[in-house]
Amino acid sequence: MNLVTADDIDAAARRIAGVAVRTPLLPCPWADPDRPLWLKPENLQPIGAFKVRGAYNAIAALPDDLRERGVVAYSSGNHAQAVAYAAKAFGVRAWIVVPEDTPTVKVEATRSHGAEVLLSKVGEREKLAAEVQERTGASLIPPFDHPDVIAGQGTVGLEIAADLRADLVLVPVSGGGLISGTAAAIKAASPGTQVWAVEPELAGDTAESLAAGELRRWSVADRNRTIADGLRSQPSELTFAHLRAFVDGIVTVSEDEIRDAVRTLARRARLVAEPSGAVATAAYLHHAAELPAGVTVAVVSGGNMDDALAKDLLG
Amino acid sequence: MNLVTADDIDAAARRIAGVAVRTPLLPCPWADPDRPLWLKPENLQPIGAFKVRGAYNAIAALPDDLRERGVVAYSSGNHAQAVAYAAKAFGVRAWIVVPEDTPTVKVEATRSHGAEVLLSKVGEREKLAAEVQERTGASLIPPFDHPDVIAGQGTVGLEIAADLRADLVLVPVSGGGLISGTAAAIKAASPGTQVWAVEPELAGDTAESLAAGELRRWSVADRNRTIADGLRSQPSELTFAHLRAFVDGIVTVSEDEIRDAVRTLARRARLVAEPSGAVATAAYLHHAAELPAGVTVAVVSGGNMDDALAKDLLG
């Protein structure tokens, strides 16, 4: 299986310049001085999550004639807004298929970027997306299972390696697009840096899969137990191959640890992180004994929450 | 009176590189598309406010033999932490004089950067700081009334002008160090960009002073009415001269508008801003009719709040 290369990620960095924010690393004087902590605040991207990097790179990599026909995606979360935002930046149409029970606030956020939102019944989203593709010639932009998406997310790692020689980089894992690209970039630029994945205990399929050396599937019902609603997907064969090639370890974090990390990021680092975006910080705060020592980077991957959850976690 | 020059600010930028975070401009897709908004998130500096730029530049500009004797400042707010943090970066001692009724959490934050905290009775802070200076040979680092402090804060404007050709830059004003330096930098790099000051109505001495063409003093009791506790100082002759030379206009914002801006920054821009840090955004959101049109930058100057206020504003 072909893995994403440093050249692919360099090309992505050139494409996304001026669209994705070139986020800085933020030093944390409040952290353990023996393990200096830096945050990579991807919640500050225009749609509130790193996803805009991969979506924009994938759309940019389409042949011009295909891109002009527009793009389609199915997601109710950050990927939906990322594809809508990136399509708008190119001036092409976007169709986003979302479950019919998606909260109105998320539908409106996606529409606000100019996308056409299609509501699907349970189990019919692939069918609806395929119909859009057939009718319009639009290209499907998957959330993680695509080399151009992985290369786009990998620009997170490229930027970290350019800014700091870290001993350890902590990255959330769900479908694995972010950590696949980030780890590929960091291992190419700084082979001595360890890259560790972090996932919720309650959606710990990747930890089990890495231990087993093969993909282990958890039920949707099991994965949906975690508050970290952006981390309920599972790696594909492609992202799992990247994980096995480039990732040095994995830790799982509890729901209480995730909540504590959301609060700590707000109060100490002045960042609003969603639970999924806070898991790497949770690992730093609560799992030091399991992690390599030294200069640490935690990727804060996103900051989108509905008002009720924000009130609960930040209030 | 000599005003800070573009060269002074360029020199400051070279000094602070690697200590202050080079903050990006954050685009706001949720803002009015006819007045695109970008945020300059200075709340992400290591001590949670822009103040580290001026404090570090002022300490860096000291002759080596003086700097080695340490520095002293009086402040209970962001300037205290900025001086403590900057002194630690140089490995020199810092004495911080704070009012004896300063909340423990602020005292501890200052101590955590290695500073020695001295509690002063009301009206005795200058005397206490002078005693420290006499005893130790430490240099006083003022919060705003000093060319090196102004030049350091001016790097905010230098970075804005390097990143974007804006029509309008909105900057909070209190003692005026931030807006003096920022406006000097922007007018040098981009004379067509308007720079406007923003202050709370309840501490509106600067608006009155600019209208009168001379400094008008408000009582401490009056200025202390605003929730924006970082904006209760008044310009000095030096900063007022910069304001008259470089600032195009001023708007005042209400307490409700400030609270709304804090909430909007948290929910839409994923930034925790303190009330003082949110006034420029409040002006953008609530005073469009008074402001020049076009591409707008709002400086989010700080993000330090005690837990009770954060709970009230973010919950």
Side-chain angles (χ1 to χ4, degrees):
Chain A
M1 192 174 297
N2 287 330
L3 303 186
V4 164
T5 67
D7 284 348
D8 297 332
I9 299 169
D10 285 340
R14 287 190 294 274
R15 292 194 190 106
I16 69 168
V19 176
V21 172
R22 205 305 187 180
T23 52
L25 288 179
L26 305 176
C28 300
W30 45 269
D32 179 352
D34 293 331
R35 301 183 297 135
L37 176 66
W38 299 73
L39 301 172
K40 180 72 170 168
E42 288 295 301
N43 58 326
L44 303 183
Q45 293 295 345
I47 57 103
F50 72 94
K51 294 269 185 185
V52 70
R53 296 173 182 264
Y56 189 85
N57 187 53
I59 296 174
L62 290 171
D64 289 351
D65 59 331
L66 263 186
R67 188 192 311 116
E68 280 164 19
R69 294 186 202 163
V71 292
V72 59
Y74 37 82
S75 161
S76 61
N78 292 334
H79 180 60
Q81 292 193 52
V83 170
Y85 186 84
K88 188 178 187 181
F90 274 112
V92 304
R93 296 184 67 180
W95 291 267
I96 310 291
V97 179
V98 306
E100 60 185 356
D101 61 350
T102 302
T104 309
V105 60
K106 289 196 176 185
V107 170
E108 287 309 315
T110 305
R111 281 204 182 112
S112 76
H113 299 301
E116 184 169 331
V117 175
L118 305 169
L119 302 176
S120 82
K121 293 191 169 51
V122 174
E124 296 198 348
R125 62 182 198 173
E126 284 87 350
K127 188 176 141 219
L128 204 50
E131 281 172 13
V132 171
Q133 286 183 270
E134 191 164 336
R135 176 163 53 85
T136 64
S139 299
L140 183 73
I141 307 294
F144 56 84
D145 191 29
H146 192 289
D148 293 330
V149 175
I150 293 171
Q153 321 302 29
T155 57
V156 170
L158 195 67
E159 293 173 5
I160 292 170
D163 288 354
L164 185 72
R165 186 54 50 103
D167 297 301
L168 171 64
V169 177
L170 298 168
V171 190
V173 63
S174 177
L178 175 61
I179 194 168
S180 291
T182 297
I186 286 173
K187 290 298 179 180
S190 173
T193 299
Q194 292 214 19
V195 180
W196 282 55
V198 185
E199 71 180 344
E201 281 173 21
L202 295 184
D205 54 282
T206 305
E208 187 183 317
S209 297
L210 284 169
E214 62 178 24
L215 281 171
R216 295 288 172 87
R217 297 307 185 184
W218 287 26
S219 72
V220 171
D222 275 355
R223 286 180 275 132
N224 281 0
R225 293 172 302 167
T226 178
I227 191 177
D229 59 1
L231 302 183
R232 295 169 179 167
S233 294
Q234 305 185 102
S236 64
E237 295 289 347
L238 179 63
T239 56
F240 193 62
H242 286 78
L243 283 160
R244 295 194 67 183
F246 299 126
V247 171
D248 298 289
I250 185 165
V251 289
T252 59
V253 293
S254 73
E255 300 294 293
D256 281 348
E257 290 164 354
I258 295 171
R259 289 169 179 272
D260 178 66
V262 171
R263 275 190 294 269
T264 299
L265 286 167
R267 304 218 169 144
R268 310 302 300 268
R270 299 105 191 164
L271 294 172
V272 176
E274 62 187 275
S276 306
V279 295
T281 306
Y284 173 87
L285 293 170
H286 298 287
H287 292 263
E290 297 159 57
L291 294 170
V295 175
T296 303
V297 174
V299 177
V300 179
S301 53
N304 292 322
M305 286 185 280
D306 62 36
D307 283 356
L309 183 59
K311 201 177 172 67
D312 177 34
L313 292 177
L314 304 177
Chain B
M1 192 175 294
N2 287 331
L3 304 185
V4 164
T5 66
D7 285 348
D8 297 331
I9 300 169
D10 286 340
R14 288 190 294 274
R15 292 195 190 106
I16 70 168
V19 176
V21 173
R22 206 306 188 178
T23 53
L25 288 178
L26 306 176
C28 301
W30 47 269
D32 179 352
D34 293 332
R35 301 183 299 135
L37 176 66
W38 300 71
L39 301 172
K40 180 71 170 169
E42 288 296 301
N43 59 327
L44 303 183
Q45 293 295 345
I47 57 104
F50 71 94
K51 294 270 185 185
V52 70
R53 296 173 182 264
Y56 189 86
N57 188 53
I59 297 174
L62 291 172
D64 290 351
D65 59 331
L66 264 187
R67 189 192 310 117
E68 281 165 18
R69 294 186 201 163
V71 292
V72 60
Y74 38 82
S75 160
S76 60
N78 292 333
H79 179 60
Q81 292 193 50
V83 170
Y85 186 84
K88 188 178 187 182
F90 274 112
V92 304
R93 296 183 68 179
W95 291 267
I96 310 292
V97 179
V98 306
E100 60 186 356
D101 60 350
T102 302
T104 309
V105 60
K106 289 196 177 187
V107 171
E108 288 308 316
T110 305
R111 281 205 182 112
S112 75
H113 299 301
E116 184 170 330
V117 175
L118 306 169
L119 302 177
S120 83
K121 292 192 169 49
V122 174
E124 297 197 348
R125 61 182 198 174
E126 284 86 350
K127 189 177 138 216
L128 204 51
E131 282 171 13
V132 171
Q133 286 184 269
E134 193 166 336
R135 176 163 53 84
T136 64
S139 301
L140 183 71
I141 306 295
F144 55 86
D145 191 28
H146 193 288
D148 294 329
V149 175
I150 293 172
Q153 322 302 26
T155 57
V156 171
L158 196 68
E159 293 173 5
I160 292 170
D163 288 354
L164 185 72
R165 186 52 50 103
D167 297 302
L168 172 63
V169 178
L170 297 168
V171 189
V173 63
S174 177
L178 175 62
I179 193 168
S180 292
T182 297
I186 286 173
K187 290 298 179 181
S190 173
T193 299
Q194 292 214 18
V195 179
W196 282 54
V198 185
E199 72 180 343
E201 281 173 20
L202 295 183
D205 55 282
T206 305
E208 188 182 317
S209 297
L210 284 169
E214 62 177 25
L215 280 171
R216 295 287 172 87
R217 298 306 187 185
W218 286 27
S219 72
V220 171
D222 275 356
R223 287 180 274 132
N224 280 359
R225 293 172 303 166
T226 179
I227 190 177
D229 59 1
L231 302 182
R232 294 170 179 167
S233 296
Q234 305 185 102
S236 65
E237 294 290 347
L238 179 63
T239 55
F240 193 61
H242 286 79
L243 283 159
R244 295 194 67 183
F246 300 126
V247 170
D248 298 288
I250 186 164
V251 290
T252 58
V253 294
S254 73
E255 300 294 292
D256 280 349
E257 290 164 354
I258 295 171
R259 290 170 179 272
D260 178 65
V262 171
R263 275 189 295 269
T264 299
L265 286 167
R267 304 220 169 141
R268 310 302 300 269
R270 299 103 191 165
L271 294 172
V272 176
E274 62 188 273
S276 305
V279 295
T281 307
Y284 172 88
L285 292 171
H286 297 287
H287 293 264
E290 298 159 56
L291 293 170
V295 175
T296 303
V297 174
V299 176
V300 179
S301 52
N304 291 324
M305 287 185 280
D306 62 36
D307 283 356
L309 183 59
K311 199 177 173 68
D312 177 33
L313 292 177
L314 304 177

